[in-house]
Amino acid sequence: RIEGIDNLMVNFARCCQPVPGDQVVGVVTRGRGLSVHRLDCPNAFEERVGKERRMELTWDVEGEKAFVVKLVIHGSDRQMLLGDIANAISATGTNIKNAGMKSLENAALGIFLVEVKNLHHLQKVIKAVKKVPGVLSVDRQQYFEGERDMESV
């Protein structure tokens, strides 16, 4: 919600993938309207963009909008780990946009792009994945343009 401003093009930053519930800040861009970033995103720090280009925002999302979030999952390598993680995510009513895993000396590394409705939904997904046997950690990670899925971690 942007008080007192109409007809402003608003887009969600791909670098930090904000979802409703996150603390956010708006950054006035050059030629692309307002970009919504998580407050902890380095691309929105005052030192980087200047105080005059930052704008306070609150969430006001209509309908069932989906927000893509990148999850990085570390675990012990075992058969069916990818399938079990995918099933855990799907069981929360979450769409998986992209998924991949690779093995690294008895360890597994997975990157999943998932669609969530808000921060509560994201936390539900993370909790479900952490319950999968062999999963050691699940972290939300920023996605930077030009980054390749499995090669980026």
Side-chain angles (χ1 to χ4, degrees), residues 94-122:
T94 304
N95 185 42
I96 300 171
K97 295 288 286 179
N98 193 342
M101 291 199 81
K102 65 181 176 181
S103 233
L104 308 163
E105 297 181 18
N106 295 328
L109 171 65
I111 297 177
F112 288 74
L113 295 180
V114 297
E115 290 182 328
V116 297
K117 297 173 189 140
N118 53 44
L119 188 57
H120 176 71
H121 183 187
L122 174 61

Side-chain angles (χ1 to χ4, degrees), residues 71 121-131 138 140:
L71 297 178
H121 183 187
L122 174 61
Q123 290 167 338
K124 183 178 170 183
V125 171
I126 291 171
K127 185 177 179 180
V129 173
K130 284 182 175 180
K131 289 181 180 178
V138 182
R140 179 180 182 181

Side-chain angles (χ1 to χ4, degrees), residues 36-107:
V36 179
H37 291 264
R38 286 183 9 211
L39 200 55
D40 62 353
C41 178
N43 292 328
F45 288 168
E46 197 172 296
E47 304 84 45
R48 183 164 180 161
V49 298
K51 187 176 183 175
E52 70 283 354
R53 290 181 47 211
R54 290 170 47 100
M55 183 178 287
E56 287 187 31
L57 302 176
T58 58
W59 285 101
D60 186 15
V61 179
E62 296 177 8
E64 291 290 312
K65 185 163 174 52
F67 296 83
V68 178
V69 174
K70 177 181 178 181
L71 297 178
V72 175
I73 301 168
H74 293 272
S76 302
D77 190 24
R78 67 169 176 82
Q79 254 186 340
M80 297 297 299
L81 182 61
L82 173 61
D84 290 346
I85 292 171
N87 286 336
I89 292 170
S90 294
T92 65
T94 304
N95 185 42
I96 300 171
K97 295 288 286 179
N98 193 342
M101 291 199 81
K102 65 181 176 181
S103 233
L104 308 163
E105 297 181 18
N106 295 328

Side-chain angles (χ1 to χ4, degrees), residues 13-42:
R14 286 194 254 169
C15 53
C16 56
Q17 304 156 338
V19 299
D22 283 329
Q23 291 185 317
V24 291
V25 63
V27 175
V28 178
T29 64
R30 293 177 180 98
R32 293 186 321 262
L34 187 75
S35 184
V36 179
H37 291 264
R38 286 183 9 211
L39 200 55
D40 62 353
C41 178

